[in-house]
Amino acid sequence: MTNKNISIAIDGPVGAGKGTLAITLAKKLNALYVYTGAMYRELALACLREKTDIKDEEKVFEVLNKISIEFKPTNEGIKAFLNGEDVADEIFKPYVGKAVSVVAAFPKVRKEMVLRQRKIAEDAIKNGKNVVMEGRDISTDVIPNADLKIYLTADINIRAQRRFKQLEERGIKTSFDEVLKDIQERDRQDIQRNVSPLKIAENAIVIDTTDDRIEQTMEKVEKAMEKLREENLI
Ligand code: DC
């Protein structure tokens, strides 16, 4: 048991296992789980629905300021809603996936998203909740003072296999090669982006999940938490 509310930031590339770890940790710590990728995906979906030119930063920013993005508990866990509508399945379709890296690269969009995400984390802590947030820039920009910062990574072929399986489970038809190509492209975009590129934060623990099952990754995270407890940092 921890003595104070804790915040955990998880970053890493597509398919590194962020979601599985974040959900498992959030359950264990009775924490608020925030999947920030859903926020960027919802913005992309809103732009596509409004036929906004997704290459126009101002227009995309206007859409962001109009839409409501909420996280609500449901029987299937915490879900993201766009203007009150459950879009959990829609946001994972490839046409949204392609648009999201375009809108997520705009500085104005990122600045606003970071502010919103930081507020979600701060409100949770203020209200006596632990928080587990996953994304690309959580430990570097959103909550750089998080109690625990985790950078997950894995071999690209394993990441592509995991993403392919996730898409299959959601009933989305694609091929392994297409997924692999998409991941290579998204890695490039995430890492080379000028604003908040994906990088390993100072003091982050790096976990390579290539050969791990979730139990093994959790053991590594629990060890890191134990160390923080011994040092009275959490
Ligand atoms: O985690 P994900 O793959 O569902 O994220 C979708 C997209 O959003 C991906 O292209 C990276 C981007 N993203 C981001 O730029 N910053 C975040 N904090 C979360 C996601």
Side-chain angles (χ1 to χ4, degrees), residues 183-216:
I183 287 191
Q184 282 165 336
E185 176 56 19
R186 289 227 265 145
D187 278 1
R188 195 189 60 74
Q189 283 166 340
D190 284 343
I191 292 162
Q192 292 183 359
R193 186 168 56 218
N194 288 328
V195 190
S196 347
L198 173 64
K199 58 173 190 268
I200 304 172
E202 218 181 299
N203 307 328
I205 60 161
V206 179
I207 301 177
D208 186 324
T209 67
T210 304
D211 301 314
D212 274 6
R213 295 171 58 80
I214 178 62
E215 295 79 14
Q216 292 160 308

Side-chain angles (χ1 to χ4, degrees), residues 35-37 40-41 100 104 110 135-138 186 190 193:
Y35 163 41
T36 59
Y40 289 95
R41 285 175 181 271
V100 68
R110 297 208 69 85
R136 301 293 190 288
D137 56 348
I138 311 305
R186 289 227 265 145
D190 284 343
R193 186 168 56 218

Side-chain angles (χ1 to χ4, degrees), residues 81-227:
F81 288 77
L82 171 61
N83 298 326
E85 179 193 342
D86 175 0
V87 288
D89 289 332
E90 200 63 24
I91 57 172
F92 287 100
K93 294 195 173 159
Y95 79 98
V96 178
K98 287 205 170 65
V100 68
S101 26
V102 180
V103 302
F106 290 134
K108 280 179 100 164
V109 167
R110 297 208 69 85
K111 199 167 163 212
E112 174 63 20
M113 288 291 198
V114 166
L115 290 176
R116 289 189 192 189
Q117 291 155 3
R118 195 175 289 155
K119 184 160 185 335
I120 293 172
E122 282 170 359
D123 286 351
I125 296 289
K126 253 189 241 154
N127 293 323
K129 289 254 340 157
N130 296 321
V131 60
V132 178
M133 195 174 268
E134 60 140 312
R136 301 293 190 288
D137 56 348
I138 311 305
S139 41
T140 50
D141 295 272
V142 180
I143 34 175
N145 59 350
D147 296 300
L148 179 59
K149 303 178 194 178
I150 303 169
Y151 186 92
L152 285 193
T153 182
D155 173 82
I156 192 159
N157 283 296
I158 297 288
R159 294 196 281 120
Q161 272 171 25
R162 289 177 185 159
R163 183 45 67 112
F164 180 59
K165 198 162 151 250
Q166 278 168 5
L167 293 172
E168 253 189 342
E169 281 165 6
R170 289 178 187 275
I172 295 167
K173 287 202 172 59
T174 176
S175 68
F176 174 79
D177 286 348
E178 205 179 326
V179 173
L180 180 62
K181 228 174 81 199
D182 180 54
I183 287 191
Q184 282 165 336
E185 176 56 19
R186 289 227 265 145
D187 278 1
R188 195 189 60 74
Q189 283 166 340
D190 284 343
I191 292 162
Q192 292 183 359
R193 186 168 56 218
N194 288 328
V195 190
S196 347
L198 173 64
K199 58 173 190 268
I200 304 172
E202 218 181 299
N203 307 328
I205 60 161
V206 179
I207 301 177
D208 186 324
T209 67
T210 304
D211 301 314
D212 274 6
R213 295 171 58 80
I214 178 62
E215 295 79 14
Q216 292 160 308
T217 306
M218 273 296 281
E219 253 175 48
K220 293 172 188 169
V221 172
E222 274 164 4
K223 222 183 239 170
M225 287 179 63
E226 200 43 55
K227 194 159 165 266

